[in-house]
Amino acid sequence: MATAELTTTQKPDWAGRYFHIDQVLNSGGPRTDPQFAAGDEVKKFLRETSKILVIGAGGLGCEILANLALTGFKDIHVIDMDTIDISNLNRQFLFRPKDVGHSKANVAAEFIMKRVPGVKVTPYFGKIQDKGEDYYMQFHLVICGLDSVEARRWINATLVNMVDESNPDSLKPMIDGGTEGFKGQARVIIPTVTSCYECSLDMLNKPTAFPICTIANTPRLPEHCIEWASVLEWPKVFADKKLDTDDPEHIGWLYKVAAARAAEFKIEGVTWSLTQGVVKNIIPAIASTNAIIAAACCNEAFKIATSSAAYLNNYFMLIGTESVYSYTFEHEKRADCPVCGGEAVDINLKSDTTVEQLIDILIEKQDIQIKKPSLSTSTKQIYFQAPPQLEQATRPNLEKKVSELVPDGGDITVTATTLPFNLSIRITYSS
């Protein structure tokens, strides 16, 4: 999917356009960064030189794009792989009913350029994985407004791997925002300097999992019917065809099948939006939470771009369930982080632990969060989830003890479609 060619009418800035912003940039203050140089140069960098990437043009991304444009950032790029659904219109305020079915990135870019003269927004309708390091290297900083943990892990690992100590320009700050109902967070990640996204995986809520026996035999909730359709019926009907949770046709099939099963068991509540929410683990978004978190993210972007104040160190939390409460703290780097720590993750096993049990341990491990891992060493294939021929060939190893295949202190390479990097684990044994 290619970038849409959009044009914007460049208009000179009128007197007083950035009056309030200039109050910050014209002089220093008690919290000003030592590197801050007040005056025309910093204003010129913000409005003419800086280039910023926004990943995601949903509820959070729409607010971020509007805030950045009104703050004075004039060269903005946005990536989003989704199209606009009618359910988006209650909180994604750059879209209108006529936009349903169109690319979020393209529509958001066009709206911002029409609404804020002089701003250029370059959209890309596709996946972040479509772009290489040379693409991300052009930006001064990246803001994520994503609803996917996998996408966050991928861009986090990419930006960390891009850092070259001999080239200061290779370090690209990342600002990550996220919302979950009335809760939200904003954080600043300086790759290789602060804790990265992977360092804090254990803070995430574990996805809800329903017992297979319940969804197969005695469903009681609409979610049970949807899980039955996605976990049991899809593989049965489509064999090796991978379920794409971003494909409306796939979601439509699941919705139809789940609704039929719900009717059979007299269960109400299966809807298209719930089907999408269950298979994508989506939690309903609140517009006010998006607005607060987007503002926090854009404040940090402004501070980093201008050095006009100290940026967040490094985690901001918002909790608005019963009242409005916020909390800021420094999330420390994990020494054993597989992305920014650079070391193998140590795992101690009993000497009789089987390969199948090790896989279960990796899936359950909160600070790794991996699905369907494949295992290998530098000299042997231990177990591979795919392709089918390789899975069948390595399946007998599942019952073998890990100690039969890997010596004490030996390393195993773990790969998975949900893991944006090769994870190295070092195995030690206890009796």
Side-chain angles (χ1 to χ4, degrees), residues 57-266:
L60 195 54
C62 282
E63 297 285 339
I64 289 170
L65 287 168
N67 289 350
L68 291 175
L70 293 170
T71 301
F73 289 93
K74 293 190 176 182
D75 190 354
I76 305 169
H77 291 238
V78 58
I79 293 181
D80 197 295
M81 63 179 287
D82 286 341
T83 55
I84 299 163
D85 184 80
I86 193 167
S87 64
N88 300 148
L89 302 183
N90 73 335
R91 65 191 182 281
Q92 299 177 20
F93 301 127
L94 303 186
F95 309 140
R96 301 294 181 265
K98 65 179 177 61
D99 301 321
V100 171
H102 295 280
S103 156
K104 286 185 177 181
N106 291 344
V107 173
E110 188 172 12
F111 187 103
I112 292 293
M113 288 193 291
K114 286 181 177 178
R115 183 67 178 81
V116 188
V119 174
K120 180 183 178 183
V121 184
T122 305
Y124 178 73
F125 176 34
K127 299 180 179 180
I128 56 174
Q129 293 87 347
D130 296 342
K131 301 294 189 180
E133 288 188 2
D134 56 338
Y135 173 80
Y136 294 106
M137 195 66 76
Q138 68 181 301
F139 302 106
H140 290 97
L141 60 95
V142 176
I143 302 184
C144 295
L146 291 160
D147 61 2
S148 165
V149 171
E150 292 176 20
R152 283 187 173 100
R153 295 177 76 179
W154 189 90
I155 188 64
N156 173 74
T158 297
L159 295 180
V160 170
N161 291 334
M162 279 169 47
V163 176
D164 179 355
E165 292 183 1
S166 64
N167 178 16
D169 292 337
S170 65
L171 190 150
K172 309 296 179 182
M174 172 174 136
I175 301 167
D176 177 58
T179 63
E180 189 177 279
F182 287 102
K183 300 177 183 178
Q185 55 85 18
R187 64 185 300 185
V188 172
I189 296 171
I190 310 297
T192 71
V193 178
T194 67
S195 65
C196 74
Y197 186 79
E198 200 75 17
C199 289
S200 59
L201 276 189
D202 56 355
M203 292 180 64
L204 300 178
N205 292 329
K206 221 174 168 186
T208 303
F210 300 107
I212 290 293
C213 58
T214 299
I215 65 175
N217 302 313
T218 55
R220 300 183 301 277
L221 302 171
E223 290 85 351
H224 293 161
C225 300
I226 297 166
E227 283 283 292
W228 176 82
S230 62
V231 175
L232 299 178
E233 281 302 289
W234 180 274
K236 181 179 175 182
V237 174
F238 296 102
D240 296 328
K241 185 177 181 180
K242 187 176 183 293
L243 174 64
D244 184 354
T245 58
D246 292 304
D247 188 326
E249 291 186 6
H250 290 197
I251 298 296
W253 186 91
L254 294 178
Y255 166 58
K256 181 180 177 181
V257 172
R261 183 165 177 82
E264 179 185 347
F265 285 87
K266 296 181 173 56

Side-chain angles (χ1 to χ4, degrees), residues 279-302:
V279 298
K280 295 185 71 172
N281 195 33
I282 294 173
I283 296 171
I286 308 296
S288 58
T289 311
N290 285 337
I292 295 169
I293 296 303
C297 290
C298 293
N299 277 342
E300 297 310 317
F302 178 79

Side-chain angles (χ1 to χ4, degrees), residues 279-352:
V279 298
K280 295 185 71 172
N281 195 33
I282 294 173
I283 296 171
I286 308 296
S288 58
T289 311
N290 285 337
I292 295 169
I293 296 303
C297 290
C298 293
N299 277 342
E300 297 310 317
F302 178 79
K303 290 189 285 185
I304 291 172
T306 63
S307 298
S308 56
Y311 56 78
L312 179 68
N313 183 29
N314 51 35
Y315 208 111
F316 165 79
M317 295 179 64
L318 171 74
I319 301 173
T321 46
E322 296 180 3
S323 58
V324 179
Y325 170 77
S326 65
Y327 177 64
T328 304
F329 68 98
E330 179 182 358
H331 192 288
E332 296 184 0
K333 291 182 70 172
R334 268 177 52 202
D336 62 345
C337 174
V339 172
C340 67
E343 300 291 335
V345 176
D346 291 315
I347 294 184
N348 184 265
L349 303 175
K350 294 181 179 179
S351 55
D352 59 353

